[in-house]
Amino acid sequence: MNRGQLIILLFLAFSLLLTSTGVVYSKYATRKQFVALQMLRAERDAIEVEWGRLPLEQSTWATHARVEKIARKRLKMHIPTAEEVVVVKP
């Protein structure tokens, strides 16, 4: 083997080493990004579940019976009797 062929052989071996290292790194980076994507999808799903619960919770807190109960207890409100009703005419 002459000197030129040896240089080409070394260059090709070095290129092969660099290329294989690049492929391994690329595969590692892809897997890392895929794991991050899966985590983000799981977080999105959890947020969507919570978002679905919020309107139910809001409707529960805003029921007429609950509002009336709080108005009676905390604000000491009551339904006015006929004597307490005042009609104002223009």
Side-chain angles (χ1 to χ4, degrees):
M1 203 185 287
N2 64 18
R3 186 178 174 124
Q5 289 176 337
L6 183 62
I7 291 174
I8 292 175
L9 182 64
L10 287 175
F11 175 75
L12 290 176
F14 184 70
S15 298
L16 179 65
L17 181 65
L18 285 179
T19 303
S20 60
T21 304
V23 169
V24 169
Y25 177 76
S26 175
K27 189 71 170 174
Y28 167 76
T30 301
R31 286 183 181 169
K32 191 174 178 181
Q33 292 298 320
F34 182 74
V35 168
L37 176 64
Q38 292 300 91
M39 289 174 56
L40 289 172
R41 284 181 178 168
E43 184 179 349
R44 178 202 59 196
D45 293 343
I47 289 171
E48 284 180 358
V49 167
E50 183 179 355
W51 183 255
R53 287 183 196 152
L54 287 176
L56 296 173
E57 184 178 345
Q58 182 181 14
S59 66
T60 301
W61 285 96
T63 59
H64 293 292
R66 184 175 183 281
V67 170
E68 185 175 349
K69 179 181 167 185
I70 291 173
R72 288 181 189 272
K73 278 188 174 180
R74 292 187 190 166
L75 302 175
K76 307 289 188 231
M77 296 177 81
H78 64 279
I79 297 175
T81 61
E83 294 82 30
E84 294 175 326
V85 174
V86 177
V87 179
V88 179
K89 295 184 179 182

